Amino acid sequence: MSLTIYSTISLIAVIYCTVRPKILNTLELTMIFLLVMYLDSNVMDLVMLNSKRIEMSRTSADRFTFYLTFIVLYPLIIACSLDHLRKVQAKLGKILLILLAVSAIVGLESGLKYFKVLTYKNWNFSFDLVQWLCTYSITYFLHHLFRKLILKELNR
């Protein structure tokens, strides 16, 4: 059940982000994807393997669901959000867009918990929220620095 739901959500997200016009170029999107996957994999390694605060289900469908969200859906949400962020001028709009993206990711993780793909032990909603706010902030900051570096190199 969870595999069907999350693969459908991922497919819709991939189609949406592929079809819509983008401001960010392919290099920036690739950098964002890799950065989000790197940050999330390190946090999940610390939380799942080292401190054993989250346990993953043993079935292969649940594992595939987890890795699908981890590799495709979460980076895609952040990349599309950063792309939309470039279009928004108002600060309140930017803050709301960031909060919407983070709450979408946290909501999807809560869905994984609901479908028993993940079992939380000494881990809760607020930790997820802080983790994804930090991941989003780091990604935003590093993307900003990356963009400045690219523009600097192009102006030479």
Side-chain angles (χ1 to χ4, degrees):
M1 178 78 165
S2 63
L3 178 61
T4 305
I5 292 170
Y6 278 86
S7 61
T8 304
I9 293 170
S10 296
L11 182 63
I12 291 169
V14 166
I15 290 170
Y16 170 75
C17 290
T18 304
V19 171
R20 73 176 195 77
K22 291 171 267 319
I23 293 175
L24 301 177
N25 63 36
T26 307
L27 184 62
E28 289 174 304
L29 291 171
T30 303
M31 189 268 315
I32 291 168
F33 255 80
L34 292 174
L35 182 62
V36 171
M37 282 191 295
Y38 176 77
L39 292 172
D40 190 30
S41 68
N42 284 329
V43 168
M44 292 310 273
D45 283 346
L46 288 173
V47 171
M48 291 175 98
L49 298 176
N50 294 346
S51 63
K52 300 196 188 309
R53 291 178 178 250
I54 298 176
E55 287 185 3
M56 196 179 344
S57 175
R58 298 277 182 217
T59 65
S60 58
D62 288 343
R63 287 183 181 267
F64 185 76
T65 302
F66 172 75
Y67 287 118
L68 179 70
T69 59
F70 168 73
I71 293 172
V72 176
L73 197 54
Y74 299 156
L76 197 62
I77 290 171
I78 291 180
C80 284
S81 171
L82 285 173
D83 190 49
H84 281 301
L85 210 59
R86 306 258 333 137
K87 295 177 185 176
V88 176
Q89 297 299 323
K91 286 197 183 262
L92 181 63
K94 288 184 179 194
I95 291 170
L96 288 175
L97 189 61
I98 291 169
L99 291 177
L100 181 67
V102 169
S103 56
I105 293 172
V106 171
L108 288 167
E109 279 197 4
S110 296
L112 290 177
K113 188 176 115 180
Y114 175 77
F115 287 117
K116 295 183 177 34
V117 173
L118 299 175
T119 306
Y120 286 12
K121 295 181 177 182
N122 298 324
W123 191 259
N124 58 33
F125 179 79
S126 61
F127 291 156
D128 274 343
L129 191 61
V130 169
Q131 171 202 344
W132 285 107
L133 276 173
C134 289
T135 301
Y136 195 98
S137 300
I138 291 168
T139 304
Y140 178 80
F141 178 70
L142 290 176
H143 172 256
H144 180 70
L145 291 176
F146 182 74
R147 192 166 183 86
K148 282 176 69 174
L149 178 70
I150 297 265
L151 290 174
K152 181 181 165 185
E153 290 296 320
L154 288 175
N155 288 333
R156 281 189 180 186

